[in-house]
Amino acid sequence: MQFIDLKAQYAALKTDIDAAIQRVLDHGQYIMGPEVAKLESALAEWVGVKHCITVASGTEALLIALMSLGLKPGDEVITSPFTFAATAEVIVLLGGVPVFVDVEPDTANLDARQVAAAITPRTRAIMPVSLYGQVADMAEINAIAATHGLPVIEDAAQSFGALYRGQRSGALSTWGATSFFPSKPLGCYGDGGALFTNDAALAQAAREIRVHGQSARYTHTRVGVGGRMDTLQCAVVLAKLPRLEWELARRHALGARYHQLLAGVHVGLITLRPDRDCVWGQYTVLVEQRAEVQAALQAAGVPTAVHYPKPLHQQVAYQAYAPQGGCPVAEHLAQRVMSLPMSPDLSEADQDQVVAALAAVVGRRA
C-alpha cells in the first residue's frame, strides 16, 4: 500500500503528461516558457482571483509574499507553531520575528481568538496555515487584521482546492500561497508553488521579485530571488488540471468515509467546520502511544507519517521565539497526530484495511 499513490495518478494521466512534457522539450523554452503564463491564467480563473504568480516552491511563495509587503528586520509576523518549518523559516530569513500563537485543539489551525492579543506595534502581517487541507478561520482573522491595518497571508500549501464560505483557498486574503510539491492536492513532479492576489501592485512586485527583482531585462528595480517555476513543472500541472475536480471529489468522499469508519475506533478526529470543506492534504488522526501504533501498523503493511512531531517553537532553530508558557495545544497535538494513507486513487478496500489494522491496535469504542 502506498501512503500517497502518485504512480496510479500518473498511469491515469500518462498520455497527457507525456505529451505536455514533450511539447516543452520540443520548443526548448525551459525557463518562463509559454506554459508558465498559461498555467497562471488557468489557476487565477479557477481560484477566483485576478493574479496568479507561479514560483519555485511553496516556501518561495511565502518568502516572496513577505518581500512584496516590505518585511524588514525586527518586524513581527503572527503565525502558527504547528506547521512545517518553511512557514517560520521565511520570516526569519528576512530578519523578521515569528510570533507563535497556539492552535485550536480540534482543527489544529491557528486559534483566531488568540490572535488579537498577540498584535504589537511591530506586527507587520498575520500568516495563518490551512493545515491538513481545511482553511483556517479566515473571516475572523481578516477582521482582526483589518482593524489593525495588517495584511494576511494564507499558507495554503495543503489546502489548494478547498472551499471556505463559497470561496477557494488562496482567494481569501491579501496573499494566498500554495505548494505544488508532488504530494499536495495539486502537485507537480518536483518543486513548484504559486501566489494568488487581487492586488495589482503586489502582483507586479512578486513578478519582479521572482526574477531577481527585474522590471525589465537587467533592470533591477528591487531586491529579488531566483524564484521561477520551471516550464516543465508548469506543463505537468497543466496536464493534471482536467482531473482536479474528480480528485477533489474523491478526497472529500474518502475523508468522509474515513470519518465514518473511524467513528467507533479509539482515535481522535479532526473537526470539520460547517462553513468549509477539507481536501485532506493529509488525513490525520490523534492516537496515544503513537510510536507503538505506527510500528504495529507498519507490520500490518499500513504506512503512516507524522505531521508534525515537534512544534516550531520547540525546534532548535526557532526556540528563541518560543512564547512564554509555550503553546500547549500544539505541544499536545504534536505528541499524538498520525497521518493515514490518503490520495485520490486510494481504494475503498485499502481504506478498509487501514481502518481494520488501526482498530486492531487501538481498539473500538464500547
Side-chain angles (χ1 to χ4, degrees), residues 280-299:
W280 297 114
Q282 303 292 345
Y283 187 87
T284 301
V285 297
L286 278 70
V287 296
E288 301 295 332
Q289 297 179 314
R290 181 176 60 207
E292 291 85 344
V293 173
Q294 284 190 284
L297 290 177
Q298 185 65 38

Side-chain angles (χ1 to χ4, degrees), residues 143-311:
I144 295 167
T147 299
H148 296 271
L150 297 171
V152 176
I153 303 167
E154 181 196 3
D155 182 341
Q158 295 183 9
S159 61
F160 186 84
L163 285 171
Y164 174 88
R165 301 185 182 182
Q167 288 185 287
R168 293 285 183 194
S169 176
L172 301 165
S173 52
T174 315
W175 275 120
T178 200
S179 167
F180 300 133
F181 189 79
S183 63
K184 302 300 184 184
L186 180 62
C188 57
Y189 288 162
D191 276 317
L195 283 162
F196 304 95
T197 188
N198 287 312
D199 189 310
L202 288 178
Q204 182 59 30
R207 290 189 185 101
E208 294 176 6
I209 291 168
R210 74 171 171 183
V211 289
H212 301 283
Q214 295 176 95
S215 55
R217 188 163 175 78
Y218 299 130
T219 302
H220 300 271
T221 309
R222 61 182 83 234
V223 174
V225 296
R228 300 160 299 203
M229 185 169 170
D230 295 339
T231 308
L232 279 166
Q233 300 300 345
C234 288
V236 169
V237 177
L238 275 169
K240 287 188 174 188
L241 274 180
R243 195 180 191 242
L244 180 59
E245 292 284 0
W246 178 85
E247 291 198 4
L248 292 175
R250 283 289 295 163
R251 286 179 175 276
H252 295 150
L254 289 166
R257 191 168 187 269
Y258 259 139
H259 260 48
Q260 182 181 24
L261 293 173
L262 290 169
V265 179
H266 274 297
V267 296
L269 301 178
I270 297 296
T271 297
L272 295 184
R273 298 279 186 248
D275 59 349
R276 66 204 77 168
D277 65 17
C278 184
V279 296
W280 297 114
Q282 303 292 345
Y283 187 87
T284 301
V285 297
L286 278 70
V287 296
E288 301 295 332
Q289 297 179 314
R290 181 176 60 207
E292 291 85 344
V293 173
Q294 284 190 284
L297 290 177
Q298 185 65 38
V302 175
T304 60
V306 177
H307 305 94
Y308 295 95
K310 185 183 288 188

Side-chain angles (χ1 to χ4, degrees), residues 136-147:
D137 291 332
M138 295 301 292
E140 292 85 347
I141 293 168
N142 284 337
I144 295 167
T147 299

